[in-house]
Amino acid sequence: MSKKERIKKPFYKKWWFWVIAIIIVVGVNSKDDDIADTNKKENNSAVTESDKTGSNEKKEDLNAEEDTKIEDLNAEEDTKIEDLKAEDTKIEDTKAEDNVPTEYNSALKKAELYAKTMNMSKQGIYEQLTSEYGEKFSKESAQYAMDNLDFDWKANALKKAESYAETMNMSKQGIYGQLISEHGEKFTEDEAQYAVDNVKANFSENALAKAKSYQETMSMSPDAIRDQLTSQHGEQFTQAEADYAITNLE
């Protein structure tokens, strides 16, 4: 063997070295691919779980929103039902009014007119409605009118009291008697008492006006006038009011 043949080749120039190198590289790349696939699966799994959580939250929000809409619709429906019931009640009331006889409605309108324009009492109006010398309504229609006439009878009594005090110079007690009289205004005692308690009038001046009238028209003496002013069958002024009148007679 020659000297040249005895010299060995470096190991990296030998064929088996490169075979081993190629196997190592292939193995490393395969491991990197496995790691990449594992990471991708984990990422995909995380994304999927996130998507599921978001989807559940969206479903809950949608369900809550749907429940709210249903509640609103139910409330709206209930309101419509109540409105319909109220409308039905109005219709029934209208029908009931339509079923009232014409005479009854006419009596009610007349009663309102007497109460508002003439300040009459409830009993006075009833008698005027049924009187042969008045409106000649039946007792049934007149009673319907009084039952359905909502009015402040105390206010009417007060207006009547003011009229008697101003135009006829009557005493407080005289006005009270006229208000409750069966031959007068026919107010109740409670209504008449309210009227005389609240009427604004100077009864001493009324007594003087009455005294002057007796003196001028009947030529009565002061003592006779005083008696007439205080008499329970006369003017029914108080003693103090009568004394004021006599003292101020000319």
Side-chain angles (χ1 to χ4, degrees):
M1 181 178 294
S2 65
K3 188 178 181 179
K4 290 182 180 179
E5 288 178 349
R6 286 197 298 266
I7 298 173
K8 294 181 179 181
K9 294 180 180 179
F11 70 91
Y12 58 83
K13 289 184 177 181
K14 294 181 177 182
W15 63 269
W16 53 264
F17 172 80
W18 292 107
V19 171
I20 293 173
I22 290 170
I23 292 172
I24 291 172
V25 170
V26 170
V28 170
N29 289 336
S30 177
K31 186 176 183 180
D32 289 341
D33 290 341
D34 290 340
I35 293 171
D37 290 341
T38 301
N39 291 336
K40 186 175 181 181
K41 288 180 179 179
E42 289 178 354
N43 290 335
N44 288 338
S45 176
V47 171
T48 302
E49 290 298 325
S50 176
D51 290 342
K52 287 181 179 179
T53 302
S55 178
N56 288 335
E57 290 178 353
K58 288 181 180 179
K59 286 181 180 178
E60 290 176 0
D61 291 340
L62 288 173
N63 289 335
E65 184 178 354
E66 190 68 21
D67 290 340
T68 301
K69 288 181 180 179
I70 292 171
E71 289 177 0
D72 291 341
L73 287 173
N74 288 336
E76 184 178 352
E77 190 67 23
D78 290 340
T79 301
K80 288 181 179 179
I81 291 172
E82 292 299 324
D83 291 341
L84 287 173
K85 287 181 179 179
E87 191 65 28
D88 288 342
T89 301
K90 290 181 180 179
I91 293 172
E92 290 176 1
D93 291 342
T94 302
K95 288 181 178 179
E97 185 177 348
D98 291 341
N99 291 331
V100 174
T102 302
E103 182 186 0
Y104 284 39
N105 285 324
S106 296
L108 178 56
K109 290 178 181 178
K110 275 289 185 179
E112 290 174 345
L113 184 64
Y114 279 118
K116 291 178 180 178
T117 62
M118 298 183 67
N119 305 313
M120 292 176 65
S121 66
K122 189 173 184 178
Q123 184 62 29
I125 293 173
Y126 175 84
E127 292 184 6
Q128 181 66 18
L129 292 177
T130 58
S131 174
E132 286 296 316
Y133 305 100
E135 300 297 338
K136 301 180 181 179
F137 282 105
S138 67
K139 291 182 178 180
E140 292 76 14
S141 59
Q143 190 60 53
Y144 170 84
M146 304 320 300
D147 290 343
N148 289 275
L149 180 59
D150 185 16
F151 214 78
D152 188 346
W153 304 111
K154 287 184 177 180
N156 270 14
L158 178 56
K159 289 178 181 178
K160 280 290 186 180
E162 290 170 345
S163 176
Y164 280 121
E166 292 172 5
T167 63
M168 299 182 66
N169 301 312
M170 291 177 66
S171 66
K172 189 173 185 178
Q173 190 60 34
I175 292 172
Y176 177 85
Q178 183 65 18
L179 291 177
I180 65 172
S181 174
E182 284 298 314
H183 305 289
E185 301 298 338
K186 302 180 176 70
F187 284 100
T188 66
E189 292 182 358
D190 187 49
E191 291 161 355
Q193 190 61 54
Y194 170 85
V196 296
D197 286 345
N198 290 277
V199 65
K200 294 180 180 179
N202 188 330
F203 291 110
S204 293
E205 288 297 327
N206 277 11
L208 176 57
K210 281 289 186 179
K212 289 179 178 179
S213 176
Y214 280 120
Q215 185 182 55
E216 293 170 1
T217 61
M218 300 181 68
S219 301
M220 293 173 64
S221 68
D223 287 342
I225 293 172
R226 180 184 284 106
D227 290 342
Q228 183 63 22
L229 292 177
T230 58
S231 173
Q232 290 302 308
H233 303 288
E235 303 296 339
Q236 302 180 62
F237 284 100
T238 65
Q239 191 64 52
E241 292 163 351
D243 289 341
Y244 172 87
I246 299 304
T247 301
N248 289 277
L249 272 176
E250 295 180 356

